[in-house]
Amino acid sequence: MQALLSQLSEIDEQLLAILNSDSVDSSEMARLLNNRKQCLAEITVLPEKPEQAAWSKAIARTEQLFSLIKVQRDSAAAHASRFKKGRQSVQVYKKFE
């Protein structure tokens, strides 16, 4: 149990490092999120429940990761929207050439 919680903590630290960096490597983030999902699945099927303090920390990290992922998603969406509007402006400009 403790090994799985330690593994989960390491994955979370790696995810936090990626999300706090200037450029997000989406393939590495997807790989880590899949590893995290698998680790959580292994923890949930164990007959013994995780220690309350460690589990509370894991939940807090999950909430932090969720909010950072949401910020990254919103930022990427805003960037894509600006790019799309810019491309549309160029197309309109080319019509008048």
Coordinates of all heavy atoms in Angstrom, one line a residue:
M1 N 0.8 -1.2 0.0 CA 0.0 0.0 0.0 C 0.9 1.3 0.0 O 0.6 2.2 -0.8 CB -0.9 0.0 1.2 CG -1.7 1.3 1.5 SD -2.8 1.7 0.2 CE -4.1 0.5 0.5
Q2 N 1.8 1.3 0.9 CA 2.7 2.5 1.0 C 3.5 2.7 -0.3 O 3.7 3.8 -0.7 CB 3.7 2.3 2.2 CG 4.3 3.6 2.6 CD 3.3 4.6 3.1 OE1 2.2 4.3 3.5 NE2 3.6 5.9 2.9
A3 N 3.9 1.6 -1.0 CA 4.6 1.7 -2.2 C 3.8 2.4 -3.3 O 4.2 3.2 -4.1 CB 5.1 0.4 -2.7
L4 N 2.5 2.0 -3.3 CA 1.6 2.6 -4.3 C 1.3 4.1 -4.0 O 1.3 4.9 -4.9 CB 0.2 1.8 -4.3 CG 0.3 0.4 -5.0 CD1 -1.0 -0.3 -4.8 CD2 0.6 0.6 -6.5
L5 N 1.2 4.4 -2.8 CA 1.0 5.8 -2.4 C 2.2 6.6 -2.7 O 2.1 7.8 -3.2 CB 0.6 5.9 -0.9 CG -0.8 5.5 -0.6 CD1 -1.0 5.5 1.0 CD2 -1.8 6.3 -1.2
S6 N 3.4 6.0 -2.5 CA 4.7 6.7 -2.9 C 4.7 6.9 -4.4 O 5.1 8.0 -4.9 CB 5.9 6.0 -2.4 OG 5.9 5.9 -1.0
Q7 N 4.3 5.9 -5.1 CA 4.3 6.0 -6.6 C 3.4 7.0 -7.1 O 3.7 7.8 -8.0 CB 4.0 4.6 -7.2 CG 4.0 4.6 -8.7 CD 3.5 3.2 -9.3 OE1 3.2 2.3 -8.5 NE2 3.5 3.1 -10.6
L8 N 2.2 7.1 -6.5 CA 1.2 8.1 -6.8 C 1.8 9.5 -6.5 O 1.6 10.4 -7.4 CB -0.1 7.9 -6.0 CG -1.2 8.9 -6.3 CD1 -1.7 8.7 -7.7 CD2 -2.3 8.6 -5.3
S9 N 2.5 9.7 -5.4 CA 3.1 11.0 -5.1 C 4.1 11.4 -6.1 O 4.2 12.5 -6.5 CB 3.7 10.9 -3.7 OG 4.3 12.1 -3.3
E10 N 5.0 10.4 -6.5 CA 6.0 10.7 -7.5 C 5.4 11.1 -8.9 O 5.8 12.1 -9.5 CB 6.9 9.5 -7.7 CG 7.8 9.2 -6.6 CD 8.6 7.9 -6.7 OE1 8.7 7.4 -7.9 OE2 9.1 7.4 -5.7
I11 N 4.3 10.4 -9.3 CA 3.6 10.8 -10.5 C 3.0 12.2 -10.4 O 3.1 13.0 -11.3 CB 2.5 9.7 -10.8 CG1 3.1 8.4 -11.2 CG2 1.6 10.2 -12.0 CD1 2.1 7.2 -11.2
D12 N 2.4 12.5 -9.3 CA 1.8 13.8 -9.1 C 2.9 14.9 -9.1 O 2.7 15.9 -9.7 CB 1.1 13.9 -7.7 CG -0.2 13.1 -7.7 OD1 -0.6 12.6 -8.8 OD2 -0.8 12.8 -6.6
E13 N 4.1 14.6 -8.6 CA 5.2 15.6 -8.6 C 5.6 15.9 -10.0 O 5.9 17.0 -10.4 CB 6.3 15.2 -7.7 CG 6.1 15.2 -6.3 CD 7.2 14.7 -5.4 OE1 8.3 14.5 -6.0 OE2 7.0 14.4 -4.3
Q14 N 5.7 14.8 -10.8 CA 6.1 14.9 -12.2 C 5.0 15.7 -13.0 O 5.3 16.6 -13.8 CB 6.3 13.6 -12.9 CG 7.5 12.8 -12.3 CD 7.6 11.4 -12.8 OE1 6.8 10.9 -13.6 NE2 8.6 10.7 -12.4
L15 N 3.7 15.4 -12.7 CA 2.7 16.2 -13.4 C 2.7 17.6 -13.0 O 2.5 18.5 -13.9 CB 1.3 15.5 -13.0 CG 0.9 14.3 -13.8 CD1 -0.3 13.6 -13.1 CD2 0.6 14.6 -15.2
L16 N 2.9 17.9 -11.7 CA 3.0 19.3 -11.3 C 4.1 20.0 -12.0 O 4.0 21.2 -12.4 CB 3.1 19.4 -9.8 CG 1.9 19.1 -9.0 CD1 2.2 19.0 -7.5 CD2 0.8 20.1 -9.2
A17 N 5.3 19.4 -12.2 CA 6.4 20.0 -12.8 C 6.1 20.3 -14.3 O 6.4 21.4 -14.8 CB 7.6 19.0 -12.7
I18 N 5.4 19.4 -14.9 CA 5.0 19.6 -16.3 C 4.0 20.8 -16.4 O 4.1 21.6 -17.3 CB 4.4 18.3 -17.0 CG1 5.5 17.3 -17.2 CG2 3.7 18.6 -18.3 CD1 5.0 15.9 -17.7
L19 N 3.0 20.8 -15.6 CA 2.0 21.8 -15.6 C 2.5 23.2 -15.3 O 2.0 24.2 -15.7 CB 0.8 21.4 -14.7 CG 0.0 20.2 -15.3 CD1 -1.0 19.7 -14.2 CD2 -0.8 20.6 -16.5
N20 N 3.5 23.2 -14.4 CA 4.1 24.5 -14.0 C 5.2 25.0 -15.0 O 5.7 26.1 -14.8 CB 4.6 24.4 -12.6 CG 3.5 24.4 -11.6 OD1 2.5 25.1 -11.8 ND2 3.7 23.6 -10.6
S21 N 5.6 24.2 -16.0 CA 6.6 24.6 -16.9 C 6.0 25.5 -18.0 O 4.8 25.7 -18.1 CB 7.2 23.4 -17.6 OG 6.3 22.8 -18.4
D22 N 6.9 26.2 -18.7 CA 6.4 27.1 -19.8 C 5.7 26.4 -20.9 O 4.7 26.9 -21.4 CB 7.6 27.9 -20.3 CG 8.1 28.9 -19.3 OD1 7.4 29.3 -18.4 OD2 9.3 29.3 -19.4
S23 N 6.2 25.3 -21.4 CA 5.6 24.6 -22.4 C 5.2 23.2 -21.9 O 6.0 22.5 -21.3 CB 6.5 24.5 -23.6 OG 7.6 23.7 -23.3
V24 N 4.0 22.8 -22.1 CA 3.4 21.6 -21.6 C 3.6 20.5 -22.7 O 3.2 20.7 -23.8 CB 1.9 21.7 -21.2 CG1 1.4 20.4 -20.9 CG2 1.8 22.7 -20.1
D25 N 4.3 19.4 -22.3 CA 4.4 18.3 -23.2 C 3.2 17.4 -23.1 O 3.1 16.6 -22.1 CB 5.7 17.5 -22.9 CG 6.0 16.3 -23.8 OD1 5.2 16.1 -24.7 OD2 7.0 15.6 -23.6
S26 N 2.3 17.5 -24.0 CA 1.0 16.8 -23.9 C 1.1 15.3 -23.9 O 0.4 14.6 -23.2 CB 0.0 17.3 -25.0 OG 0.5 17.0 -26.2
S27 N 2.1 14.7 -24.7 CA 2.2 13.3 -24.7 C 2.7 12.7 -23.4 O 2.3 11.7 -22.9 CB 3.1 12.8 -25.9 OG 4.4 13.4 -25.7
E28 N 3.7 13.5 -22.8 CA 4.2 13.1 -21.5 C 3.1 13.2 -20.4 O 3.0 12.4 -19.5 CB 5.5 13.9 -21.1 CG 6.1 13.6 -19.8 CD 6.7 12.2 -19.7 OE1 6.8 11.5 -20.7 OE2 7.0 11.8 -18.6
M29 N 2.4 14.3 -20.5 CA 1.3 14.5 -19.5 C 0.2 13.4 -19.7 O -0.2 12.8 -18.6 CB 0.6 15.8 -19.7 CG -0.3 16.2 -18.6 SD -0.8 17.9 -18.6 CE -2.2 17.8 -19.6
A30 N -0.1 13.0 -20.9 CA -1.1 11.9 -21.1 C -0.5 10.6 -20.5 O -1.3 9.8 -19.9 CB -1.4 11.8 -22.6
R31 N 0.8 10.3 -20.7 CA 1.4 9.1 -20.2 C 1.3 9.1 -18.7 O 0.9 8.1 -18.1 CB 2.8 9.0 -20.7 CG 3.5 7.7 -20.3 CD 5.0 7.7 -20.6 NE 5.7 8.7 -19.8 CZ 6.1 8.5 -18.6 NH1 5.8 7.3 -17.9 NH2 6.8 9.4 -17.9
L32 N 1.7 10.2 -18.1 CA 1.6 10.3 -16.6 C 0.2 10.2 -16.0 O 0.0 9.5 -15.0 CB 2.3 11.6 -16.1 CG 3.8 11.6 -16.3 CD1 4.3 13.0 -16.0 CD2 4.5 10.6 -15.3
L33 N -0.7 10.8 -16.7 CA -2.1 10.7 -16.3 C -2.6 9.2 -16.4 O -3.4 8.8 -15.5 CB -3.0 11.6 -17.1 CG -2.9 13.1 -16.7 CD1 -3.6 14.0 -17.7 CD2 -3.4 13.4 -15.3
N34 N -2.2 8.5 -17.4 CA -2.6 7.1 -17.5 C -2.0 6.3 -16.4 O -2.6 5.4 -15.8 CB -2.2 6.6 -18.9 CG -3.2 7.0 -20.0 OD1 -4.3 7.3 -19.7 ND2 -2.7 7.1 -21.2
N35 N -0.7 6.6 -16.1 CA 0.0 5.9 -15.0 C -0.7 6.2 -13.7 O -0.8 5.3 -12.8 CB 1.5 6.3 -14.9 CG 2.3 5.8 -16.1 OD1 1.8 4.9 -16.8 ND2 3.5 6.3 -16.2
R36 N -1.1 7.4 -13.5 CA -1.8 7.8 -12.3 C -3.1 7.1 -12.1 O -3.5 6.6 -11.1 CB -2.0 9.3 -12.3 CG -2.6 9.9 -11.0 CD -2.7 11.4 -11.1 NE -2.8 12.0 -9.8 CZ -3.9 12.0 -9.0 NH1 -5.0 11.5 -9.5 NH2 -3.9 12.5 -7.8
K37 N -3.8 7.0 -13.2 CA -5.1 6.3 -13.2 C -5.0 4.8 -12.9 O -5.7 4.3 -12.1 CB -5.8 6.4 -14.6 CG -7.1 5.8 -14.8 CD -7.7 6.0 -16.2 CE -9.0 5.2 -16.4 NZ -9.5 5.4 -17.7
Q38 N -3.9 4.2 -13.4 CA -3.6 2.8 -13.2 C -3.3 2.6 -11.7 O -3.7 1.7 -11.0 CB -2.5 2.3 -14.1 CG -2.2 0.9 -13.9 CD -1.1 0.4 -14.9 OE1 -0.4 1.2 -15.4 NE2 -1.0 -0.9 -15.1
C39 N -2.5 3.5 -11.2 CA -2.0 3.5 -9.8 C -3.2 3.6 -8.8 O -3.4 2.9 -7.9 CB -1.0 4.6 -9.5 SG -0.3 4.5 -7.9
L40 N -4.1 4.6 -9.1 CA -5.3 4.7 -8.3 C -6.2 3.5 -8.4 O -6.8 3.1 -7.4 CB -6.1 6.0 -8.8 CG -5.5 7.3 -8.4 CD1 -6.2 8.4 -9.1 CD2 -5.6 7.5 -6.9
A41 N -6.3 2.9 -9.6 CA -7.1 1.7 -9.7 C -6.5 0.5 -8.8 O -7.3 -0.2 -8.2 CB -7.2 1.2 -11.2
E42 N -5.2 0.4 -8.8 CA -4.6 -0.6 -8.0 C -4.8 -0.3 -6.5 O -5.0 -1.3 -5.7 CB -3.1 -0.6 -8.2 CG -2.7 -1.2 -9.6 CD -1.2 -1.1 -9.9 OE1 -0.4 -1.0 -9.0 OE2 -0.9 -1.1 -11.1
I43 N -4.8 0.9 -6.1 CA -5.1 1.3 -4.7 C -6.5 0.9 -4.3 O -6.8 0.4 -3.2 CB -4.8 2.8 -4.4 CG1 -3.3 3.0 -4.5 CG2 -5.3 3.2 -3.1 CD1 -2.9 4.5 -4.5
T44 N -7.4 1.2 -5.2 CA -8.8 1.0 -4.8 C -9.2 -0.5 -4.7 O -10.2 -0.8 -4.1 CB -9.8 1.7 -5.9 OG1 -9.5 1.2 -7.2 CG2 -9.6 3.2 -5.8
V45 N -8.5 -1.4 -5.4 CA -8.8 -2.8 -5.3 C -8.2 -3.5 -4.2 O -8.5 -4.7 -3.9 CB -8.5 -3.6 -6.7 CG1 -9.3 -3.0 -7.8 CG2 -7.0 -3.5 -7.0
L46 N -7.3 -2.8 -3.5 CA -6.6 -3.4 -2.3 C -7.6 -3.6 -1.2 O -8.5 -2.8 -1.0 CB -5.5 -2.6 -1.8 CG -4.2 -2.5 -2.7 CD1 -3.2 -1.5 -2.2 CD2 -3.6 -3.9 -2.9
P47 N -7.5 -4.7 -0.4 CA -8.4 -5.0 0.6 C -8.3 -4.0 1.8 O -9.3 -3.7 2.5 CB -8.1 -6.4 1.1 CG -6.7 -6.7 0.6 CD -6.5 -5.8 -0.6
E48 N -7.1 -3.5 2.0 CA -6.9 -2.5 3.1 C -7.1 -1.1 2.6 O -6.8 -0.8 1.4 CB -5.6 -2.7 3.7 CG -4.4 -2.5 2.7 CD -3.1 -2.9 3.2 OE1 -3.0 -4.1 3.7 OE2 -2.1 -2.1 3.2
K49 N -7.6 -0.2 3.4 CA -7.8 1.2 3.1 C -6.5 1.9 3.3 O -5.8 1.6 4.2 CB -8.9 1.8 3.9 CG -10.3 1.1 3.7 CD -10.8 1.5 2.3 CE -12.1 0.8 2.0 NZ -12.5 0.8 0.6
P50 N -6.3 3.0 2.5 CA -5.1 3.8 2.7 C -5.1 4.6 4.0 O -6.2 4.8 4.5 CB -5.0 4.7 1.5 CG -6.2 4.5 0.7 CD -7.0 3.4 1.3
E51 N -4.0 4.9 4.5 CA -3.9 5.7 5.7 C -4.6 7.1 5.4 O -4.4 7.7 4.4 CB -2.4 5.9 6.0 CG -2.2 6.8 7.2 CD -0.7 7.0 7.4 OE1 0.1 6.0 7.6 OE2 -0.3 8.2 7.5
Q52 N -5.4 7.5 6.4 CA -6.2 8.7 6.2 C -5.4 10.0 5.8 O -5.7 10.7 4.9 CB -7.0 9.0 7.5 CG -7.9 10.2 7.3 CD -9.0 10.0 6.3 OE1 -9.5 8.9 6.1 NE2 -9.4 11.1 5.7
A53 N -4.3 10.2 6.5 CA -3.4 11.4 6.2 C -2.9 11.3 4.8 O -2.9 12.3 4.1 CB -2.3 11.5 7.3
A54 N -2.3 10.1 4.4 CA -1.7 10.0 3.1 C -2.8 10.2 2.0 O -2.6 10.8 1.0 CB -1.0 8.7 3.0
W55 N -4.0 9.6 2.3 CA -5.1 9.7 1.3 C -5.6 11.1 1.2 O -5.9 11.6 0.1 CB -6.2 8.7 1.7 CG -7.2 8.5 0.6 CD1 -8.5 8.8 0.6 CD2 -7.0 7.9 -0.7 NE1 -9.1 8.5 -0.5 CE2 -8.2 7.9 -1.4 CE3 -5.8 7.4 -1.3 CZ2 -8.3 7.4 -2.7 CZ3 -5.9 6.9 -2.6 CH2 -7.1 6.9 -3.2
S56 N -5.6 11.9 2.3 CA -6.0 13.3 2.3 C -5.1 14.1 1.4 O -5.5 15.0 0.7 CB -6.1 13.8 3.7 OG -7.1 13.2 4.4
K57 N -3.8 13.8 1.6 CA -2.8 14.5 0.8 C -3.0 14.2 -0.7 O -2.8 15.1 -1.6 CB -1.4 14.1 1.2 CG -1.0 14.7 2.6 CD 0.4 14.2 2.9 CE 0.8 14.7 4.3 NZ 2.1 14.2 4.7
A58 N -3.2 12.9 -1.0 CA -3.5 12.5 -2.4 C -4.7 13.3 -3.0 O -4.7 13.7 -4.1 CB -3.6 11.0 -2.5
I59 N -5.7 13.4 -2.2 CA -6.9 14.1 -2.7 C -6.6 15.6 -2.9 O -7.0 16.2 -3.9 CB -8.1 13.9 -1.6 CG1 -8.6 12.5 -1.7 CG2 -9.2 14.9 -1.9 CD1 -9.5 12.1 -0.6
A60 N -5.8 16.2 -2.0 CA -5.4 17.6 -2.2 C -4.6 17.8 -3.4 O -4.8 18.7 -4.2 CB -4.7 18.1 -0.9
R61 N -3.7 16.8 -3.7 CA -2.9 16.9 -4.9 C -3.8 16.7 -6.2 O -3.6 17.4 -7.2 CB -1.8 15.8 -4.9 CG -0.6 16.1 -4.0 CD 0.5 15.2 -4.2 NE 0.2 13.8 -4.4 CZ 0.2 12.9 -3.4 NH1 0.5 13.3 -2.2 NH2 -0.1 11.7 -3.6
T62 N -4.8 15.9 -6.1 CA -5.7 15.7 -7.2 C -6.4 17.0 -7.5 O -6.6 17.4 -8.7 CB -6.7 14.6 -6.8 OG1 -6.0 13.4 -6.6 CG2 -7.7 14.4 -8.0
E63 N -6.9 17.7 -6.5 CA -7.6 18.9 -6.7 C -6.7 20.0 -7.3 O -7.1 20.7 -8.2 CB -8.2 19.4 -5.4 CG -9.3 18.6 -4.9 CD -9.8 18.9 -3.4 OE1 -9.1 19.6 -2.7 OE2 -10.8 18.3 -3.0
Q64 N -5.4 20.0 -6.8 CA -4.5 20.9 -7.4 C -4.2 20.6 -8.8 O -4.1 21.5 -9.7 CB -3.2 20.9 -6.6 CG -2.1 21.9 -7.0 CD -0.8 21.7 -6.2 OE1 -0.6 20.8 -5.5 NE2 0.0 22.7 -6.4
L65 N -4.0 19.3 -9.2 CA -3.7 18.9 -10.5 C -4.9 19.3 -11.4 O -4.7 19.8 -12.5 CB -3.4 17.4 -10.6 CG -2.1 17.0 -10.1 CD1 -2.1 15.4 -10.0 CD2 -1.0 17.5 -11.0
F66 N -6.1 19.0 -10.9 CA -7.3 19.3 -11.7 C -7.4 20.8 -12.0 O -7.7 21.2 -13.2 CB -8.6 18.9 -10.9 CG -9.8 19.1 -11.6 CD1 -10.2 18.3 -12.6 CD2 -10.6 20.2 -11.3 CE1 -11.4 18.5 -13.3 CE2 -11.8 20.4 -12.0 CZ -12.2 19.5 -13.0
S67 N -7.1 21.7 -11.1 CA -7.2 23.1 -11.3 C -6.1 23.6 -12.3 O -6.4 24.4 -13.2 CB -7.2 23.9 -10.0 OG -5.9 23.8 -9.4
L68 N -4.9 23.0 -12.2 CA -3.8 23.4 -13.1 C -4.1 22.9 -14.5 O -3.9 23.6 -15.5 CB -2.5 22.8 -12.6 CG -1.9 23.5 -11.4 CD1 -0.6 22.7 -10.9 CD2 -1.5 24.9 -11.8
I69 N -4.7 21.7 -14.6 CA -5.1 21.2 -16.0 C -6.1 22.1 -16.6 O -6.1 22.4 -17.8 CB -5.5 19.7 -15.9 CG1 -4.3 18.8 -15.6 CG2 -6.2 19.3 -17.2 CD1 -4.6 17.4 -15.3
K70 N -7.1 22.5 -15.8 CA -8.1 23.4 -16.3 C -7.6 24.7 -16.7 O -8.0 25.2 -17.8 CB -9.2 23.6 -15.2 CG -10.4 24.4 -15.6 CD -11.4 24.6 -14.6 CE -12.5 25.4 -15.1 NZ -13.5 25.9 -14.1
V71 N -6.6 25.3 -16.0 CA -6.0 26.5 -16.4 C -5.2 26.3 -17.8 O -5.3 27.2 -18.7 CB -5.0 27.0 -15.3 CG1 -4.1 28.1 -15.9 CG2 -5.8 27.5 -14.1
Q72 N -4.5 25.2 -17.9 CA -3.8 24.9 -19.1 C -4.8 24.8 -20.3 O -4.5 25.3 -21.4 CB -2.9 23.7 -19.0 CG -1.7 23.9 -18.2 CD -0.7 24.7 -18.8 OE1 -0.6 24.9 -20.0 NE2 0.2 25.3 -18.0
R73 N -5.9 24.1 -20.0 CA -6.9 23.8 -21.1 C -7.5 25.2 -21.5 O -7.6 25.4 -22.7 CB -8.0 22.9 -20.6 CG -9.0 22.6 -21.6 CD -10.3 22.1 -21.0 NE -10.9 23.2 -20.2 CZ -11.8 23.0 -19.3 NH1 -12.2 21.8 -19.0 NH2 -12.3 24.1 -18.6
D74 N -7.8 26.0 -20.6 CA -8.4 27.3 -20.9 C -7.4 28.2 -21.7 O -7.8 28.9 -22.6 CB -8.9 28.0 -19.7 CG -10.1 27.3 -19.0 OD1 -10.7 26.4 -19.6 OD2 -10.4 27.6 -17.8
S75 N -6.2 28.1 -21.3 CA -5.1 28.9 -22.0 C -5.0 28.4 -23.4 O -4.8 29.2 -24.4 CB -3.8 28.8 -21.2 OG -2.8 29.4 -21.9
A76 N -4.9 27.1 -23.6 CA -4.8 26.5 -24.9 C -6.0 26.9 -25.8 O -5.9 27.2 -27.0 CB -4.6 25.0 -24.9
A77 N -7.2 26.9 -25.2 CA -8.4 27.2 -26.0 C -8.4 28.7 -26.4 O -8.8 29.0 -27.5 CB -9.6 26.9 -25.1
A78 N -7.9 29.6 -25.5 CA -7.8 31.0 -25.8 C -6.8 31.2 -27.0 O -7.0 32.0 -27.9 CB -7.4 31.8 -24.6
H79 N -5.7 30.5 -26.9 CA -4.7 30.6 -27.9 C -5.2 30.1 -29.3 O -5.0 30.7 -30.3 CB -3.4 29.8 -27.5 CG -2.3 29.9 -28.5 ND1 -1.6 31.0 -28.7 CD2 -1.8 29.0 -29.4 CE1 -0.7 30.8 -29.6 NE2 -0.8 29.6 -30.1
A80 N -5.9 29.0 -29.2 CA -6.5 28.4 -30.5 C -7.5 29.4 -31.1 O -7.6 29.6 -32.3 CB -7.1 27.1 -30.2
S81 N -8.3 30.0 -30.2 CA -9.3 31.0 -30.6 C -8.7 32.2 -31.3 O -9.1 32.6 -32.4 CB -10.2 31.4 -29.5 OG -11.1 32.4 -29.9
R82 N -7.6 32.7 -30.7 CA -6.9 33.8 -31.3 C -6.3 33.4 -32.7 O -6.3 34.2 -33.6 CB -5.8 34.3 -30.4 CG -6.3 35.1 -29.2 CD -5.1 35.8 -28.5 NE -4.1 35.0 -28.1 CZ -4.0 34.3 -26.9 NH1 -5.0 34.5 -26.0 NH2 -3.0 33.6 -26.6
F83 N -5.8 32.2 -32.8 CA -5.2 31.7 -34.0 C -6.2 31.6 -35.1 O -6.0 32.0 -36.2 CB -4.5 30.4 -33.8 CG -3.9 29.8 -35.0 CD1 -2.7 30.2 -35.5 CD2 -4.6 28.7 -35.6 CE1 -2.2 29.7 -36.7 CE2 -4.0 28.2 -36.8 CZ -2.9 28.6 -37.3
K84 N -7.4 31.1 -34.7 CA -8.5 30.9 -35.7 C -9.0 32.3 -36.2 O -9.2 32.4 -37.4 CB -9.6 30.1 -35.0 CG -10.8 29.8 -35.9 CD -11.9 29.0 -35.2 CE -13.1 28.8 -36.1 NZ -14.1 28.1 -35.4
K85 N -9.1 33.2 -35.3 CA -9.6 34.6 -35.7 C -8.6 35.2 -36.6 O -8.9 35.9 -37.5 CB -9.9 35.4 -34.4 CG -11.1 35.1 -33.7 CD -11.3 35.9 -32.5 CE -12.6 35.5 -31.7 NZ -12.8 36.3 -30.5
G86 N -7.3 35.0 -36.3 CA -6.2 35.6 -37.1 C -6.3 35.0 -38.5 O -6.1 35.7 -39.5
R87 N -6.5 33.7 -38.6 CA -6.5 33.0 -39.9 C -7.7 33.5 -40.7 O -7.6 33.7 -41.9 CB -6.6 31.5 -39.7 CG -6.2 30.8 -40.9 CD -6.0 29.3 -40.6 NE -7.3 28.7 -40.8 CZ -7.7 27.6 -40.2 NH1 -6.9 27.0 -39.4 NH2 -8.8 27.1 -40.4
Q88 N -8.9 33.7 -40.0 CA -10.1 34.2 -40.7 C -9.8 35.6 -41.2 O -10.3 36.0 -42.3 CB -11.3 34.2 -39.7 CG -11.8 32.8 -39.4 CD -12.8 32.8 -38.4 OE1 -13.0 33.7 -37.6 NE2 -13.6 31.7 -38.3
S89 N -9.1 36.5 -40.4 CA -8.8 37.8 -40.8 C -8.0 37.8 -42.1 O -8.2 38.6 -43.0 CB -8.1 38.6 -39.7 OG -9.0 38.8 -38.6
V90 N -7.0 36.9 -42.2 CA -6.1 36.8 -43.3 C -6.9 36.4 -44.5 O -6.8 36.9 -45.6 CB -5.0 35.8 -43.1 CG1 -4.2 35.5 -44.3 CG2 -4.0 36.4 -42.0
Q91 N -7.9 35.5 -44.4 CA -8.7 35.0 -45.5 C -9.6 36.2 -46.0 O -9.7 36.3 -47.2 CB -9.6 33.8 -45.1 CG -8.8 32.6 -44.9 CD -9.6 31.4 -44.3 OE1 -10.7 31.7 -43.8 NE2 -9.1 30.2 -44.3
V92 N -10.1 37.0 -45.1 CA -10.9 38.1 -45.5 C -10.1 39.1 -46.3 O -10.5 39.7 -47.3 CB -11.7 38.7 -44.3 CG1 -12.3 40.1 -44.7 CG2 -12.7 37.8 -43.7
Y93 N -8.9 39.4 -45.7 CA -8.0 40.3 -46.4 C -7.6 39.9 -47.8 O -7.6 40.7 -48.7 CB -6.7 40.4 -45.5 CG -5.7 41.3 -46.1 CD1 -5.8 42.7 -46.1 CD2 -4.5 40.8 -46.7 CE1 -4.9 43.6 -46.7 CE2 -3.6 41.6 -47.3 CZ -3.7 43.0 -47.3 OH -2.8 43.8 -47.8
K94 N -7.4 38.6 -48.0 CA -7.0 38.0 -49.3 C -8.1 38.2 -50.3 O -7.9 38.3 -51.5 CB -6.6 36.6 -49.2 CG -5.2 36.4 -48.6 CD -4.8 34.9 -48.5 CE -3.4 34.8 -48.0 NZ -3.0 33.4 -48.0
K95 N -9.4 38.2 -49.8 CA -10.5 38.4 -50.7 C -10.5 39.7 -51.4 O -11.0 39.9 -52.5 CB -11.8 38.2 -50.0 CG -12.2 36.8 -49.6 CD -13.5 36.7 -48.9 CE -13.8 35.3 -48.5 NZ -15.1 35.2 -47.8
F96 N -10.0 40.7 -50.6 CA -10.0 42.1 -51.2 C -8.7 42.4 -51.9 O -8.6 43.5 -52.4 CB -10.1 43.1 -50.0 CG -11.5 43.0 -49.4 CD1 -11.6 42.5 -48.1 CD2 -12.6 43.4 -50.0 CE1 -12.9 42.4 -47.5 CE2 -13.9 43.3 -49.5 CZ -14.0 42.8 -48.2
E97 N -7.8 41.5 -52.0 CA -6.6 41.8 -52.8 C -6.8 41.8 -54.3 O -7.6 41.1 -54.8 CB -5.5 40.7 -52.5 CG -4.8 41.0 -51.2 CD -3.6 40.1 -50.9 OE1 -3.6 39.0 -51.5 OE2 -2.8 40.5 -50.2

